[in-house]
Amino acid sequence: MGNSRVTLKDLAKELNLSPSTISRAISGHPAISDATRKLVQQKADELGFTPNSIASSFRKKKTQSIGIIVPKIDIHFHSLVISGIEEYAYSKGYNVTIFQSKDSFEREKEITRILQNRMVEGIIICLSNETKSYAHFKKFTKLGVPVIFYDRVPTNFNANKIVINDYESAFKATEHLIQQGCSRIAHIAGNQSTHIFKDRLEGYKTALKKHKLPIDPSLILETKNLTYEEGAECAKKMLALPESPDGLFCSNDYTAISAIQVFQKAHIKVPEQIAVVGFSNYPISRVIEPNLTTINDRAFQMGQAAASLLIRQIDDTDSFVEFETITLKTDLVVRASSMRKASDTKL
Amino acid sequence: MGNSRVTLKDLAKELNLSPSTISRAISGHPAISDATRKLVQQKADELGFTPNSIASSFRKKKTQSIGIIVPKIDIHFHSLVISGIEEYAYSKGYNVTIFQSKDSFEREKEITRILQNRMVEGIIICLSNETKSYAHFKKFTKLGVPVIFYDRVPTNFNANKIVINDYESAFKATEHLIQQGCSRIAHIAGNQSTHIFKDRLEGYKTALKKHKLPIDPSLILETKNLTYEEGAECAKKMLALPESPDGLFCSNDYTAISAIQVFQKAHIKVPEQIAVVGFSNYPISRVIEPNLTTINDRAFQMGQAAASLLIRQIDDTDSFVEFETITLKTDLVVRASSMRKASDTKL
DNA sequence: TTATTTTATGCAAACGTTTGCATTAATTCG
DNA sequence: CGAATTAATGCAAACGTTTGCATAAAATAA
């Protein structure tokens, strides 16, 4: 039955060689002759030898594994990021261990303890929305284990970060609406205690200012979690205003879509009477009718960038760079939901 | 700067105790007096000792980690399953390492090699769609490492499997359409080389037979990948038939939704002129108008079930059970896209 | 008080690799 | 041909825990 695995020593005994020679032969050390290398390789295949990475990790103090902490895996944005991380990490020989903080600060702390014990060589994390203190990451800095934050990143705390320019993206989205002829533009905002949503609101305001449009507080609706349901509520509130908006920029696609549906049920035409732009470019934005104009936030690339930066930092042990922040380009993907003029390109 | 971590030995020296005592104190061995236990605990906190899991894994030959292989992480179904796995595994003290096969057989094989080297204690996998041979899993059986297949599971190969009853679910969906008064029911089928889609087709046929409805081959449209685009094509083909169908059961939600949109553009009313049922209960099914009736395939629960079965098998080393197959219940979630009669419940 | 049991701790080996250094054999050079 | 160099392999220690067994000290029983 379940015989225990074949080890270097077994191979060594079998071939009358020392374990060191076997080790070197397997890992391609130059000092080993081609003859023995082949011999070892052959015997290894024959006996089904497979190197014990745990023993190797233990000895070398290199686990070749990185840890990821996300609030929830089944949020599409995060699954895309994870996918990007896995792809890049795999190509570099790193494994990826995943944890969900479920937006709990306590759990996030507990996970960092586990990751430290597991000796991951680096960490990529999107903070839980409860997290206000970052002390639980200090130990990694001390140990020389790089930590990369993405999306929800710490403020007032020096760290490696991968972000998009939320401000700029929101500005682009809002300006696009202005160029489409909208002059009363509303905004469905995310929780203002999260800086990314704050930035988006700022970008929206700046675009209005630049084009000399008034900033009307009644057109700015803050939500708690940008849910589909909250989107509908906000849309209804807008319709109840003395004067309805003719443009809407939403901080995510869910609220944008539910708003569109509310408008349509009220027989208000999108984009003719109100043009709508979302944020994130979720697959659903290509399904809703009219297709949703939105910001492509490049989640997959964000994952790749995070992994690439992380592994670079793992390898460059003695670089002078302490922290790095990478800002990714975003695109405005123009679709039917905002197309009031024929001039724009459709994607 | 980055001092190396504090070890058991360091603690031992500091307290003039032997490493074994420290080890036992930390792990709560009963033979250690409360006094020393407290002493050790205190010193451990003081020096910031944290146990080296790698060393422990190495010594105990227990890594407390399981491997997951999915075709692609960012497919919503898989991210839900992974979420379920992580949640359960975390509660039991297991870590989860993720790999994407990207539907490549070669990559899947390579990953199994890595997992063997990493000494994971169990594996949960959804097969790549290229996989026809299962020889690369035999080694795990030999080593006593349990493997659980879900969703796309091997045929003609004894193994642990978590599945839903595709046949039964399709039967339910089709019968529901019949009960709604449909008599010409079409089916958009998945790739018939995959058994789950074959089963769904069979369930559809059986429902028709049971209700003495003819099986019309022109109403059965096979697709390659059940994409949104293929769904639209199929819908157009249906409309081109001499007599249009009045019901449609699709093997996933994407094709169902794109079909609905094609119908609506052709001014055919859903559900009045054609009732539509999908499969999977993707979030989008609650967004499309009318909301889509669909099969809830319980992806999250599938992940939990897989993790639970896996860990049970890891713990029960000498059980008499060789393999287990768990079939999960599915629900028909009735929504507007199939409601021609008022009698049904709406969710 | 002595023998016996219980309680608490220590000893030392082991887990499978890796690696600096030493050694031997083979080759090249003067 | 002997000395110096190069090439190929071996020795042995180390990585940080865990654990069976031994031991010492304390508590109990006789």
Side-chain angles (χ1 to χ4, degrees):
Chain A
M1 297 286 284
N3 274 333
S4 57
R5 29 199 303 166
V6 181
T7 72
L8 273 189
K9 287 183 185 173
D10 297 335
L11 262 188
K13 226 169 268 173
E14 196 75 19
L15 290 169
N16 269 321
L17 287 169
S18 79
S20 18
T21 304
I22 309 288
S23 171
R24 293 186 177 114
I26 297 280
S27 63
H29 191 105
I32 301 296
S33 72
D34 283 355
T36 29
R37 194 193 318 286
K38 238 164 236 163
L39 207 71
V40 171
Q41 202 50 260
Q42 206 177 299
K43 204 71 179 177
D45 291 346
E46 187 191 323
L47 301 187
F49 166 80
T50 128
N52 182 332
S53 321
I54 299 295
S56 171
S57 291
F58 172 52
R59 167 65 223 241
K60 296 204 286 186
K61 293 166 174 293
K62 289 221 119 224
T63 55
Q64 294 284 119
S65 72
I66 68 185
I68 307 183
I69 310 176
V70 296
K72 202 98 183 45
I73 294 167
D74 53 310
I75 292 172
H76 187 242
F77 171 74
H78 293 298
S79 73
L80 272 171
V81 173
I82 295 171
S83 180
I85 295 172
E86 195 278 340
E87 173 167 311
Y88 188 87
Y90 183 85
S91 77
K92 297 291 178 185
Y94 283 83
N95 295 159
V96 161
T97 302
I98 299 205
F99 293 85
Q100 308 186 83
S101 70
K102 300 190 170 177
D103 276 322
S104 148
F105 178 58
E106 274 315 313
R107 186 149 166 167
E108 183 177 294
K109 276 203 294 188
E110 166 72 12
I111 293 169
T112 62
R113 253 171 266 138
I114 297 175
L115 289 176
Q116 186 186 7
N117 294 351
R118 293 246 150 194
M119 305 228 302
V120 294
E121 296 190 46
I123 293 169
I124 297 173
I125 176 171
C126 171
L127 292 170
S128 101
N129 62 16
E130 283 182 13
T131 304
K132 306 282 176 241
S133 132
Y134 315 118
H136 51 307
F137 294 109
K138 293 236 172 90
K139 54 189 172 222
F140 296 114
T141 318
K142 240 173 232 160
L143 290 165
V145 172
V147 178
I148 314 279
F149 296 88
Y150 77 88
D151 191 47
R152 232 184 269 142
V153 304
T155 45
N156 319 321
F157 183 75
N158 258 326
N160 298 296
K161 302 173 190 176
I162 312 276
V163 292
I164 58 168
N165 194 330
D166 287 285
Y167 172 85
E168 187 72 25
S169 307
F171 180 89
K172 251 192 272 184
T174 311
E175 193 165 53
H176 164 73
L177 285 170
I178 297 170
Q179 282 160 355
Q180 293 296 311
C182 304
S183 57
R184 264 180 74 72
I185 300 174
H187 176 46
I188 297 182
N191 200 314
Q192 290 299 300
S193 67
T194 307
H195 68 94
I196 59 177
F197 299 126
K198 226 164 157 177
D199 287 358
R200 291 180 196 175
L201 174 57
E202 281 315 307
Y204 155 85
K205 284 185 182 167
T206 310
L208 294 186
K209 272 183 218 153
K210 182 184 163 197
H211 292 271
K212 311 254 190 300
L213 291 172
I215 290 170
D216 179 348
S218 71
L219 292 181
I220 298 174
L221 300 157
E222 184 181 343
T223 67
K224 268 195 75 152
N225 296 309
L226 288 169
T227 61
Y228 186 75
E229 286 72 20
E230 286 173 307
E233 277 170 42
C234 292
K236 281 173 200 157
K237 276 185 206 156
M238 284 175 209
L239 296 184
L241 290 174
E243 192 185 352
S244 286
D246 59 358
L248 169 62
F249 164 54
C250 303
S251 250
N252 76 352
D253 286 346
Y254 288 141
T255 51
I257 283 162
S258 72
I260 288 180
Q261 293 182 330
V262 168
F263 296 150
Q264 288 175 336
K265 274 186 196 142
H267 301 290
I268 292 172
K269 292 214 159 148
V270 178
E272 290 80 2
Q273 292 173 271
I274 180 163
V276 179
V277 177
F279 204 113
S280 279
N281 195 26
Y282 267 34
I284 198 174
S285 60
R286 284 182 45 221
V287 169
I288 181 86
E289 288 290 349
N291 283 191
L292 181 67
T293 294
T294 186
I295 294 285
N296 178 5
D297 62 6
R298 302 185 191 262
F300 185 84
Q301 284 80 5
M302 186 173 268
Q304 288 191 134
S308 150
L309 174 57
L310 186 74
I311 291 173
R312 185 147 53 76
Q313 292 208 358
I314 291 173
D315 292 342
D316 282 26
T317 45
D318 38 32
S319 131
F320 290 105
V321 179
E322 190 170 10
F323 296 117
E324 232 171 308
T325 294
I326 294 178
T327 305
L328 297 178
K329 249 193 259 170
T330 58
D331 267 353
L332 180 72
V333 183
V334 179
R335 301 206 184 94
S337 74
S338 68
M339 295 265 286
R340 299 169 121 191
K341 301 185 173 172
S343 55
D344 261 290
T345 356
K346 170 148 177 169
L347 199 123
Chain B
M1 297 283 284
N3 275 334
S4 58
R5 32 198 301 164
V6 181
T7 73
L8 274 189
K9 286 183 186 172
D10 297 336
L11 263 187
K13 226 169 266 171
E14 196 75 20
L15 290 169
N16 269 321
L17 286 170
S18 78
S20 18
T21 304
I22 310 288
S23 170
R24 292 188 178 110
I26 297 280
S27 63
H29 190 106
I32 301 295
S33 71
D34 283 356
T36 29
R37 195 195 316 287
K38 238 164 235 162
L39 206 72
V40 171
Q41 202 52 261
Q42 205 177 298
K43 202 73 179 174
D45 290 346
E46 186 192 325
L47 302 188
F49 166 78
T50 129
N52 182 332
S53 318
I54 299 296
S56 172
S57 290
F58 171 52
R59 166 64 223 240
K60 297 204 285 184
K61 293 166 173 293
K62 289 221 121 224
T63 54
Q64 294 284 117
S65 73
I66 67 185
I68 305 184
I69 311 176
V70 296
K72 203 98 183 44
I73 293 167
D74 54 310
I75 292 173
H76 187 244
F77 171 74
H78 292 298
S79 73
L80 272 171
V81 172
I82 295 171
S83 180
I85 295 172
E86 196 277 341
E87 173 167 311
Y88 188 87
Y90 183 85
S91 76
K92 297 290 178 184
Y94 282 84
N95 296 159
V96 162
T97 302
I98 299 205
F99 293 85
Q100 308 188 82
S101 69
K102 301 192 171 174
D103 277 321
S104 147
F105 178 59
E106 274 315 313
R107 186 147 167 170
E108 183 177 294
K109 276 203 292 189
E110 166 72 10
I111 293 169
T112 63
R113 251 171 269 139
I114 297 174
L115 289 176
Q116 186 186 5
N117 294 351
R118 294 245 149 194
M119 305 226 303
V120 294
E121 297 191 46
I123 294 168
I124 297 173
I125 174 170
C126 170
L127 292 170
S128 100
N129 63 15
E130 282 180 13
T131 303
K132 306 283 177 241
S133 132
Y134 316 116
H136 51 307
F137 294 109
K138 292 236 172 91
K139 54 189 172 221
F140 296 114
T141 318
K142 241 174 232 160
L143 290 165
V145 173
V147 178
I148 316 277
F149 297 88
Y150 77 89
D151 190 49
R152 231 184 270 142
V153 303
T155 45
N156 320 319
F157 182 75
N158 258 325
N160 298 297
K161 302 174 190 176
I162 312 275
V163 292
I164 57 168
N165 195 330
D166 287 285
Y167 172 86
E168 188 73 24
S169 307
F171 180 89
K172 254 192 270 186
T174 311
E175 194 165 51
H176 164 73
L177 286 171
I178 297 170
Q179 283 159 356
Q180 293 296 313
C182 304
S183 57
R184 265 181 72 74
I185 300 173
H187 176 47
I188 297 183
N191 200 314
Q192 290 299 298
S193 67
T194 306
H195 67 93
I196 58 177
F197 299 125
K198 225 164 156 178
D199 287 358
R200 292 180 194 174
L201 175 57
E202 281 315 306
Y204 155 84
K205 283 183 181 170
T206 309
L208 295 185
K209 272 184 218 152
K210 181 185 163 195
H211 291 272
K212 309 257 189 307
L213 291 172
I215 291 170
D216 179 348
S218 70
L219 293 180
I220 299 173
L221 299 158
E222 184 181 342
T223 68
K224 269 194 75 153
N225 297 310
L226 289 168
T227 61
Y228 186 76
E229 286 72 21
E230 286 173 307
E233 277 169 42
C234 291
K236 281 173 199 158
K237 274 185 206 157
M238 283 174 213
L239 296 183
L241 289 174
E243 193 185 351
S244 285
D246 59 358
L248 170 61
F249 164 54
C250 303
S251 250
N252 77 350
D253 285 347
Y254 288 141
T255 52
I257 282 161
S258 72
I260 288 178
Q261 292 183 329
V262 167
F263 295 149
Q264 289 175 335
K265 273 186 197 145
H267 302 290
I268 292 173
K269 293 215 159 147
V270 178
E272 292 80 358
Q273 292 172 270
I274 181 163
V276 179
V277 177
F279 204 113
S280 280
N281 195 27
Y282 266 35
I284 197 176
S285 59
R286 285 182 44 222
V287 169
I288 180 86
E289 288 288 351
N291 283 192
L292 181 65
T293 295
T294 186
I295 294 285
N296 178 4
D297 61 7
R298 302 186 188 262
F300 185 83
Q301 284 79 4
M302 188 175 268
Q304 288 191 135
S308 150
L309 174 57
L310 187 74
I311 291 173
R312 186 148 52 76
Q313 292 208 358
I314 291 172
D315 293 343
D316 284 24
T317 44
D318 37 32
S319 130
F320 290 105
V321 178
E322 190 169 10
F323 296 117
E324 234 172 306
T325 293
I326 293 177
T327 305
L328 297 178
K329 252 193 259 171
T330 57
D331 267 353
L332 180 71
V333 184
V334 178
R335 299 203 186 95
S337 75
S338 68
M339 297 263 287
R340 300 170 121 191
K341 300 183 175 175
S343 55
D344 262 289
T345 356
K346 170 147 178 172
L347 199 123

